[in-house]
Amino acid sequence: MGQKRRNMKGGGVGHGLLAKYHHHPQKFGCGVSVMLQCFLFAVVVVLLLLNPAVLLLPTSIFQSKSTINQPVSIEEKPNFGVTNSDHTKLALRLLAKTKSQNEEETATTGSDAPAQSSLIKQSQETTPSVSLQELEKPGVDNSMIEIILNKSKLIYNSTNPRYNICSIEGDIRIVSNASTIIIVSPTPLDPNTTTWKIKPYPRKWESYCMSSITEMTIQQLTDANQTRSCDVTYELPAVVFSTARFTGNLFHDYTDMIYPLFLATYRYNGEVKLVVEDYVPTCLEKYRPYLTRLSHYPIINIDAGPLVHCFSSAQVGLENPGPLGYQFQNPQNDQSMQQFRHFIRESLYLERSEAVKGKKPRLLLLIRKNTRLIINEDDVMNLAKDVGFEVVTADEETTKDFPRIAHIVNSCDVLMGIHGAGLANMLYLPANGTVLQITPFGNLKWVGRFDYGDPPRGFGFRYVEYEITLDESTLIDKYPRDHPVLTDPESIHKKGWQEIYNTYLWDQSVKLNVHRFRTTLEETFQFYQYI
């Protein structure tokens, strides 16, 4: 027996009613008093013999009943329950649907449509003009079922310094446990190559980071018989990405995964399939509130299982515009960031949409315990209270408690902390919230502004910066006063990012001058006093 296939959105035909009648004939004796019932039963049997599909109910009925109040696994657990004939019908439906869409596009664009980008490699193969009903008739040759689309297209973009991305349309086959994507197209997509390489993680400028990302091969084949047939076929687009490397760091989780996924999938309204390479289950489970809104379907882990997953369109790789989604010199980016903030608020059911002026503002101080400590945090909290804030704190364990930390931040007006990933919690602030960043010594204003200074503007937040002086740094207790670390930070910068990080971020804490810092807190407080 050949391997069975299944359609992830398809239903099945049940014969339970007929079986029930067959095993219990004594229940259907035809006395005079039940003559009418017997007549109706005979009609039902005749209808079933002529058209068994009359018993079919919409798939959504079964899905809604089976998922009510039941936890749903975030990862897809395949089972095989659909026959080859079911796969045939699905492939033909895709074919008919695509043909209809192409006709609509032609009618809309006409002959004056602009030429496509040179990056687009497209096959114009056409399929026979045969209706779905004709192809499903008994005796019809279904050898053409492997042709899912009448066009194949591949767009490979490697020009962005932050990421590579590839968009594909056609007969797409993602081979699990092989890091391979096959696109079947009789006509060459590119005259120069039939193979493309991509690592679907959007930090390509960091070679050390990318060395741990599995490289995927996208290969064009001209004949479907050259590769394995489909095990599972989807009537959904796919988005393929990696969860390896910096997962667990809040800044990177949002910068490299959640926001890029939002950009790739939000237009599908959940009707998209997420396909993950370098699968990290703890990361994906943590962000279930987002992932289940971006896709209404279980995630495919292509690191496991022997299946071939088939799609008609796919995006491989994610777009990473910049830190926390901020793209410099792009006026359209603010709108996407505001939409993302709204998406977060709805996904996590955050109560406050906007900070209200005229009330006592609430300030959240992020407490660090390993590096970049605020040595005199008690003095700083007392200062903030004296200025007029209601002060709450969150240590590192609290910030890891997601999504509880999101509700804590959302209840506050000001998020304050020393430079670090904890400031990415700004995403939970209400509009008009303030991010107050304390920048360590060492000419780090550019680092602070790049990661946590510019993004607040895109999200509709205020940004306030306090750069410490040398006298507020613990480095003066570790180096002589004439040491280049203290006198010439730029000489340390020339040694590269790792040296900057080790010296000024990992090895430095601060003791704030409360008299100097008071001015910054008072200016921040005043913003919330006037309506």
Side-chain angles (χ1 to χ4, degrees):
M1 294 293 291
Q3 193 175 33
K4 291 186 178 180
R5 304 171 183 173
R6 63 173 181 150
N7 168 9
M8 295 303 296
K9 295 186 72 177
V13 179
H15 301 285
L17 182 61
L18 289 177
K20 178 178 178 183
Y21 293 163
H22 175 75
H23 291 297
H24 301 281
Q26 71 275 15
K27 294 185 180 181
F28 298 94
C30 293
V32 175
S33 62
V34 292
M35 184 64 70
L36 179 59
Q37 295 179 10
C38 289
F39 174 75
L40 293 175
F41 170 68
V43 172
V44 171
V45 171
V46 171
L47 288 175
L48 286 173
L49 291 173
L50 292 174
N51 183 12
V54 298
L55 278 182
L56 285 177
L57 292 176
T59 306
S60 59
I61 293 178
F62 298 103
Q63 290 176 339
S64 61
K65 287 183 178 179
S66 64
T67 56
I68 291 176
N69 297 325
Q70 295 183 17
V72 179
S73 172
I74 198 168
E75 182 181 347
E76 179 173 299
K77 304 296 183 184
N79 58 66
F80 301 97
V82 174
T83 65
N84 288 336
S85 61
D86 292 318
H87 169 68
T88 301
K89 292 178 182 179
L90 173 60
L92 295 173
R93 287 190 184 94
L94 286 172
L95 178 61
K97 180 179 179 182
T98 304
K99 179 182 177 183
S100 174
Q101 289 175 342
N102 290 336
E103 290 173 350
E104 291 178 2
E105 291 174 0
T106 302
T108 302
T109 58
S111 58
D112 295 329
Q116 296 184 0
S117 166
S118 60
L119 287 173
I120 300 176
K121 310 299 181 183
Q122 181 166 290
S123 165
Q124 299 290 345
E125 289 298 312
T126 58
T127 55
S129 178
V130 183
S131 69
L132 175 61
Q133 290 77 15
E134 290 173 330
L135 288 167
E136 290 181 333
K137 287 180 180 179
V140 172
D141 179 12
N142 288 321
S143 60
M144 63 170 291
I145 66 170
E146 299 296 344
I147 304 176
I148 296 180
L149 293 174
N150 63 349
K151 286 186 180 180
S152 296
K153 182 167 63 176
L154 185 144
I155 308 172
Y156 185 82
N157 185 352
S158 60
T159 60
N160 194 288
R162 300 182 67 85
Y163 56 85
N164 292 341
I165 195 167
C166 186
S167 298
I168 321 171
E169 294 180 9
D171 181 352
I172 302 165
R173 309 183 185 198
I174 302 177
V175 184
S176 293
N177 226 5
S179 302
T180 302
I181 299 176
I182 302 295
I183 177 169
V184 180
S185 176
T187 301
L189 298 173
D190 187 327
N192 301 313
T193 185
T194 58
T195 302
W196 300 263
K197 302 285 187 178
I198 187 169
K199 291 188 174 185
Y201 191 77
R203 295 190 76 82
K204 78 174 188 181
W205 73 95
E206 293 185 347
S207 57
Y208 176 74
C209 163
M210 297 301 288
S211 64
S212 63
I213 307 300
T214 302
E215 184 175 66
M216 301 195 74
T217 299
I218 302 172
Q219 183 178 5
Q220 180 197 343
L221 296 178
T222 58
D223 185 353
N225 294 322
Q226 294 174 312
T227 185
R228 287 170 51 188
S229 59
C230 301
D231 293 312
V232 193
T233 302
Y234 305 85
E235 292 184 83
L236 298 166
V239 172
V240 184
F241 64 101
S242 171
T243 57
R245 197 52 192 159
F246 287 125
T247 52
N249 178 295
L250 190 67
F251 172 81
H252 288 289
D253 284 349
Y254 279 108
T255 298
D256 304 330
M257 185 177 73
I258 303 299
Y259 186 75
L261 268 178
F262 172 78
L263 291 180
T265 62
Y266 75 96
R267 58 182 164 284
Y268 296 117
N269 294 318
E271 294 299 309
V272 62
K273 196 76 172 172
L274 303 182
V275 181
V276 177
E277 183 185 53
D278 303 321
Y279 192 91
V280 181
T282 53
C283 173
L284 296 171
E285 185 61 36
K286 174 181 178 179
Y287 294 111
R288 173 191 288 266
Y290 300 145
L291 299 177
T292 53
R293 284 176 62 88
L294 294 176
S295 171
H296 297 160
Y297 304 91
I299 293 172
I300 298 175
N301 174 9
I302 57 170
D303 294 336
L307 302 182
V308 176
H309 302 269
C310 291
F311 297 87
S312 59
S313 65
Q315 173 180 314
V316 186
L318 297 174
E319 176 186 354
N320 176 352
L324 296 177
Y326 184 80
Q327 184 173 355
F328 303 96
Q329 299 177 344
N330 182 0
Q332 301 300 321
N333 194 56
D334 286 359
Q335 183 177 359
S336 296
M337 294 178 73
Q338 299 256 6
Q339 290 172 342
F340 182 60
R341 182 171 62 84
H342 180 72
F343 165 78
I344 288 176
R345 189 165 63 86
E346 286 196 333
S347 300
L348 303 181
Y349 301 100
L350 301 181
E351 296 82 2
R352 301 176 71 212
S353 61
E354 186 172 0
V356 178
K357 295 183 180 181
K359 296 183 179 181
K360 187 172 186 176
R362 185 175 165 98
L363 181 147
L364 175 63
L365 174 62
L366 298 174
I367 304 296
R368 299 176 64 97
K369 293 300 182 184
N370 295 313
T371 63
R372 279 160 278 158
L373 313 183
I374 300 177
I375 302 298
N376 58 336
E377 61 187 34
D378 289 340
D379 294 336
V380 173
M381 286 189 286
N382 290 331
L383 172 63
K385 293 175 183 178
D386 187 57
V387 169
F389 287 102
E390 177 187 352
V391 178
V392 295
T393 62
D395 59 18
E396 291 180 347
E397 289 304 312
T398 302
T399 57
K400 292 176 183 177
D401 188 358
F402 179 84
R404 176 172 171 260
I405 183 60
H407 291 270
I408 295 174
V409 175
N410 183 252
S411 72
C412 297
D413 304 285
V414 180
L415 177 68
M416 182 176 81
I418 197 166
H419 175 85
L423 288 174
N425 285 289
M426 72 171 75
L427 291 165
Y428 315 130
L429 283 169
N432 286 329
T434 299
V435 179
L436 200 170
Q437 178 176 210
I438 299 168
T439 307
F441 173 82
N443 288 1
L444 298 181
K445 286 192 69 170
W446 65 273
V447 179
R449 181 164 290 276
F450 183 79
D451 289 343
Y452 306 110
D454 289 314
R457 184 183 70 184
F459 289 117
F461 307 139
R462 298 177 66 249
Y463 175 68
V464 177
E465 182 180 81
Y466 179 83
E467 184 180 22
I468 73 166
T469 63
L470 177 57
D471 291 336
E472 295 172 280
S473 171
T474 59
L475 292 177
I476 60 174
D477 300 323
K478 300 180 179 182
Y479 296 93
R481 281 282 183 164
D482 60 351
H483 195 282
V485 166
L486 307 183
T487 62
D488 187 16
E490 284 304 314
S491 65
I492 308 301
H493 285 227
K494 291 177 181 178
K495 297 180 180 181
W497 170 250
Q498 194 60 47
E499 193 69 22
I500 297 172
Y501 179 84
N502 292 339
T503 304
Y504 295 117
L505 293 176
W506 181 260
D507 206 29
Q508 179 177 195
S509 293
V510 304
K511 184 177 181 179
L512 296 182
N513 182 328
V514 293
H515 300 291
R516 180 172 178 259
F517 188 53
R518 173 181 283 271
T519 301
T520 300
L521 283 180
E522 287 177 341
E523 291 175 353
T524 304
F525 177 81
Q526 289 301 317
F527 174 78
Y528 294 98
Q529 299 313 296
Y530 303 103
I531 301 176

